[in-house]
Amino acid sequence: MIRLCRSVLIISCFVLFGIGAFVIGFLIFPYIAITKSGIDRKFAYADVIHRVWKWFKDILQKIGLIKINIENEDGLKNLSSKIIVASHPSFIDIVVLIGLIPRATCFAKKETLKNPFFRNIVKSIYIINDIDLDELKADTDKFLKEGFNIIIFPSGTRTKAGEDFKMHKGPAAIAMNSDAEIVPIKITADYPFLQKGQPIYDVGDKTINYNIEVKSLIIPSEYLNMTEIKARKAISEKIKEMII
């Protein structure tokens, strides 16, 4: 019975999430578009998403679906122009991180623009990743110089414990291009939670401990004594070591 109730709760939460996305994309963002311009408009978009997803994150905790435990929470305070590189075990990782980190953006697939609920949100504030590396570097450099934080999952997709972790070198290349510091984050849970291939209603029969471990900064300028290829490889290996 407890498991059934928790299943109903998580499904209800995602219905609420979808409704919220619709309201943001078709009411709030259009209003911002006609009342603000330039960087103020982009900041307003990011601030709305941050507050709403923080609220959604808090709801998940208040109804007992998850409990978010953060180790070294001070490492998430006053972040600006940082690259946040995290492991990606759960569907809600990006929601939780943006709910914790102000003025954050992330990568989105081009297919997301076809989703009527999220299309206006994605094209307003997120970075489409289906582009070549030089264009991606230029886009991310612009966001970082404007003061945004960029959240990246270097695996590119959700991964399970024990699964082979394929580390993309994109985060290292972007960090070196912009000389932006990297904040590595390891995310784990004590019960498989919204993993790849897992039914949305499978949330167990007790509160899930969702753990966020904020690691020490990786500073690209410390690798300037290496060639670009070696530095990119060394930074990627350091990221992998910290988040898996």
Side-chain angles (χ1 to χ4, degrees):
M1 186 62 181
I2 293 176
R3 187 179 287 264
L4 176 61
C5 289
R6 288 174 59 80
S7 296
V8 171
L9 283 173
I10 191 66
I11 291 169
S12 301
C13 283
F14 276 103
V15 170
L16 180 64
F17 185 82
I19 293 170
F22 184 86
V23 171
I24 291 169
F26 289 93
L27 294 177
I28 298 176
F29 273 21
Y31 174 75
I32 291 173
I34 62 176
T35 57
K36 295 183 181 293
S37 61
I39 190 63
D40 288 337
R41 179 188 293 170
K42 291 173 72 174
F43 281 157
Y45 288 149
D47 291 345
V48 166
I49 295 297
H50 169 63
R51 292 191 186 103
V52 173
W53 287 9
K54 180 180 184 299
W55 174 73
F56 184 77
K57 164 185 70 68
D58 291 343
I59 284 178
L60 292 176
Q61 293 196 91
K62 286 176 181 177
I63 63 178
L65 286 173
I66 64 173
K67 178 184 178 184
I68 298 175
N69 308 297
I70 305 175
E71 184 176 332
N72 186 24
E73 190 169 1
D74 286 345
L76 295 179
K77 291 180 179 177
N78 304 315
L79 292 182
S80 178
S81 301
K82 296 290 191 293
I83 297 174
I84 291 86
V85 181
S87 54
H88 189 18
S90 171
F91 181 73
I92 67 159
D93 297 333
I94 191 61
V95 177
V96 171
L97 290 177
I98 288 182
L100 288 168
I101 301 167
R103 293 191 174 167
T105 184
C106 65
F107 293 154
K109 294 181 179 179
K110 189 182 294 183
E111 290 76 16
T112 316
L113 294 172
K114 298 176 183 178
N115 186 313
F117 286 89
F118 294 98
R119 181 174 58 243
N120 288 346
I121 295 175
V122 170
K123 70 181 183 182
S124 297
I125 194 63
Y126 297 126
I127 303 166
I128 301 301
N129 65 357
D130 299 24
I131 53 179
D132 65 61
L133 185 57
D134 287 339
E135 191 176 352
L136 193 65
K137 283 181 179 179
D139 286 352
T140 51
D141 186 61
K142 185 172 185 292
F143 270 96
L144 289 164
K145 282 182 167 54
E146 289 172 338
F148 283 90
N149 299 296
I150 299 178
I151 299 171
I152 303 175
F153 299 118
S155 60
T157 185
R158 282 174 284 171
T159 56
K160 299 178 181 179
E163 191 174 67
D164 183 36
F165 188 94
K166 294 181 180 179
M167 178 76 193
H168 295 284
K169 293 185 174 64
I174 291 167
M176 290 173 62
N177 179 65
S178 301
D179 194 26
E181 295 175 336
I182 299 170
V183 182
I185 295 180
K186 182 176 182 178
I187 301 174
T188 57
D190 62 359
Y191 180 86
F193 182 52
L194 300 176
Q195 289 188 344
K196 182 170 59 177
Q198 182 182 18
I200 189 174
Y201 54 81
D202 181 10
V203 287
D205 55 9
K206 63 180 181 179
T207 300
I208 297 166
N209 284 295
Y210 183 93
N211 305 305
I212 296 174
E213 187 178 353
V214 184
K215 304 281 191 168
S216 302
L217 286 175
I218 297 174
I219 303 172
S221 60
E222 294 179 352
Y223 297 81
L224 289 178
N225 61 329
M226 301 180 179
T227 65
E228 182 178 349
I229 293 175
K230 287 184 177 180
R232 193 184 303 173
K233 182 178 180 182
I235 292 172
S236 295
E237 288 176 349
K238 187 69 174 177
I239 293 171
K240 185 175 181 179
E241 172 190 321
M242 287 186 164
I243 69 173
I244 65 169

